Amino acid sequence: MFSRLLPSFFVLSLFSISLNLQAQMPSTESSAGELADERPTPSFANQPDEAIAKAQAKTLVDSPDNTLSLSDSAYQRFWKTTELSTRSQQICGGYYQLPQREAQSDSLSFNQELPAEITSDFANLRRDGESHIYGDVIIQQGANVITTDNAYISLNPRQLRLYKNILVSNNDYAVQADQGQYNQAQQSSVFNEAYLVAPALNARAYAKTLENQDTQTLTLHDARYTTCAPSESSWMINASEIQLDTESGFSNVYNLTLYVAETPILYLPYFRFPIDDRRHTGLLYPLYSYSSQDGHGLALPFYVNIAPQYDLTVVPRWIQQRGLMAESDFRYLLGSEQLELGEGSIGGSYIPNDELYGDDRHYLTADYQLSNRRWNIAGEYNEVSDADYLYDINTYVAPSRLTYLDQRAQASYLLNHGLVSLGYKRYEILSASSNPYTQEPQLNIQYNYPFLNSLSWDSQVNIGHYEREVPVPDEVKGDRYYFSTGLSYHWLGRSFFVSPSLKVKHLRYTLEGESITDETPSIWVPQATLDGGLIFERPVEHSWFSGSHTLEPRLFLNYAAQRTQTQLPNFDTTLPTFNYAQLFRDNRYAGYDRIGDNRSLSLAVSSRWIEDSGRELGSMSLGQIIYFSDRSIALQDEDNQRARSSYAFRANFNPTNQLSSFAELTWDDFTDEWRESHVNISYQASQQLIGNVGLHFTPDTHQQIQLSGVYQLTPNWQIFGQTRHEFEEQKNIESLAGVEWQNCCSVVRLAGARTLSRDSNDAIIDESRLLLEFELKGLGAVGNDLQKNLNNLIKGYRSRD
C-alpha cells in the first residue's frame, strides 16, 4: 500500500546540495554570533561571501492554509470539497489536491546537483556552527518545497533541523510534521508527528516517528494508514512498526490491528506484504460464499512466487455440506524476451469423499497459448470426475450447466495470401443429450491469391477424421476430404459494386461401419454466384438530424448443381439460424458434409442514416430469397420445397451515445408468424442508470425476455438486478437482485440469486445462492466473484468510476 509513498520520505538528501542563501533585509547591525530567541532584527555584517542571505516576507501563492492544527484536520488542508466532477469524488465527498508547480518531480528527494532557494522573514547566519532561519521559511528546489517556522542549518557537519508547522511537498506527495531532523553524514532523517497525503493513492498515513536510516528502508513507528476521507475512517490499519524496503519490495508490519468502523476485527503479531508491483509469496484475501445446497463456504488462497516465469496459487477450501477440498493453479511463461515460447496454466481441484455426493471428486484443466506475427498455437484440456462437478462446486451467482468440456489443440500459420491450420478436438461429455463427433485431426488450408487488378483465385482444403466421442452401435466413422477452388472478380465503383465468382467443390470420404454400402462416396459440385448492389445517397437537413441518407438495393444470384448426397454421412454439418447474413451465403449449411443445391436469387435493400461526423445514427435492412426450383438436398426438418424464404430484417438504431438498439427478425409469410428473432435495447447514462432489455424468440423452443439494470440511488448507493423469464412455461429461469454501498475507502455488495436449470439427467433443479463481498479500497477484496459475475450478467455494469 506504501509502494508509491516510500520515495517521498527520502528528504534526507535535501541538504547534500550547495546552499544558496540570498537575503534582502534591513541594514540594522548586531553581533554575527548571536542567536536570539525573539526574532531580533538580523545582522549580516560578518556573513561569509558564499552565504548571501535573502529574506523577504512572502508566502507561496499556492501554499495551503496554515491555520489548521496537527491532528486529523492536518489532512483537511489538502482536501477539496467543491467541483466534484467524477463519481469517485462524489462518493468521497471531496478529493486530495496538492499545490501544483510547473517543475516536475517523482519524489520528495532533492537533487544534490541543483541549488536550493531559501526565503524567510528573518535569518541569523553564522560562518561556523548553526544558522537560524525563521519566519515563513520556504526552501524550494524545482517542484520540491519545504515550509516551516524555524530551520537550523549547519554546514560542517551538514545538518538540518526543522521546528513547527513543517510541510514537505511536491506535485505527488505531502508530509506535515511537528519536528524534523536530517544528518547528511549518516544519510538519515527523523520526523515526529508526521502526517502523509498521497492523492494518487487517495491515501493518508500517520506516524508518531518517521525514521529513514538508509536509502532503501523507511520505518514508521506507532503508525496508521487508510484510504478513507479525512472526515471518516471506515477502516484503518494500526501498527507498532511498519518497515518499508524498496530494494526487496516488501513491507514488514509488527503488531498489526485492522479496525473496521473503529472496531478491531483482526490482529496479527507479524504481517508481510508487497509494496510494489512485483509478485511475492504470501497469503491472499479469503473468499466467502453461500448456497442453499452447499451451505457456507470459505477459501484461504496462498500465492507462491516460484520464479519470474512461474507461480502457483493453492486454495484450501471448506464447504459446509461437502467437507474439505483443495484447488491449485500453476502458471508459466516459456522462453525469453528475445524468444517467446508461449504461456499457459495447469490447475485443478479435488474433494476427498464429498459428503453430499458420496464419493471422491476432481477437476483437471490445462491450457497453452503462443501467438506471434505468423504462428498461433493453442491447446486446452479439461477433465472432470462427474457430470455435476462444475455446477456443484461453483461460486458463480448464476452458474450455467455445460453439456461437454473441450479437449483440443490447434496450430495455425499465416501465409502471405492464406492460412494453414491443424487441429485436434475431443470432448468430455457431461450430458446424455450430447455426443458430438471428435476431430482427430483436422487440417484446413485457405488461400486467396489476387492478380490482374480485381481478379483473385480462392481455394480451400479441409481434411479430418471423425468418430463419436462415446461409441454407439452401428457407428459411422471415417475421414472426410473437402476441396474447393475458383475465380472471383471484384469491381467497386463510386456508387455500385459487382462481384461474380465461379467455383467447383469436391467432397470425398473413407468410411467404416456395418451399415456402409459405399466406403468411398464422393461428389463434385460446380457453383456460380453473382453479388451486386447500388448505393444512392442524398444529403438531409432536419432539426434532429444533419447528414446523409442512403438507399442500397442488393441482389445475390446463386447457382449450385444438384448432386445426390444421401450416401454421405453427417459429421458436423447443421442448418444455421436463418437471418439477414444467410441471404448472401453460397452454401446454406454450416459445415462441409452437405453442399446445398441452389437456383436462387436473394433480393435485399438497406438504408442508413449517417451524421456529418461519420457516426451512423441507424440502419435498416430487409431481404428474402427467391427459389427457382425445389431443393433436393435437405437436412432433417428442413423444408426444401418452399418457393421463397422467410423475410429477414435487421436494424440498428443509436439515437444518442447513451441509447442503442439492435434487432434481428424473421417473418414467415407462409404461416404468418415470427420465426427465430432477437431484439436488444441498452441505455446507459454514465453509471447513474443502466438498463438492458432482451427479447428472444424461437418457435417451439423458448420465448424469453431478459431484463438487467443498475440504478444509482445516491453517489454511495446503487441497486442492480437481472432476470430471465420464459413465457412458454411461465416461469423464471434466472433471477438476481442486489445492492451495493460504497464510500471513499470501502465497498459492500450483497446479492441473492435463484437459478433454474437441468442436471445431467435432464431433470429440473432449483437452487438459491447468496454472495456477500466486502472490499477495502487500497487493501483488496474479501472475495471478488460477485463483481466478476455482475460484469458478465449486466451489460455496462461497473462498480465505480
Side-chain angles (χ1 to χ4, degrees), residues 482-524:
Y482 172 84
F483 171 72
S484 71
T485 187
L487 296 173
S488 60
Y489 180 76
H490 306 281
W491 185 15
L492 178 64
R494 296 189 60 181
S495 60
F496 68 92
F497 70 92
V498 177
S499 180
S501 71
L502 293 172
K503 288 183 181 180
V504 61
K505 299 180 179 180
H506 174 61
L507 261 176
R508 182 178 180 275
Y509 294 84
T510 301
L511 303 176
E512 299 178 27
E514 296 180 2
S515 61
I516 298 300
T517 58
D518 185 357
E519 295 183 352
T520 58
S522 64
I523 60 170
W524 289 88

Side-chain angles (χ1 to χ4, degrees), residues 247-258:
E247 185 175 5
S248 68
F250 271 109
S251 172
N252 297 305
V253 185
Y254 300 91
N255 297 315
L256 176 147
T257 303
L258 174 63

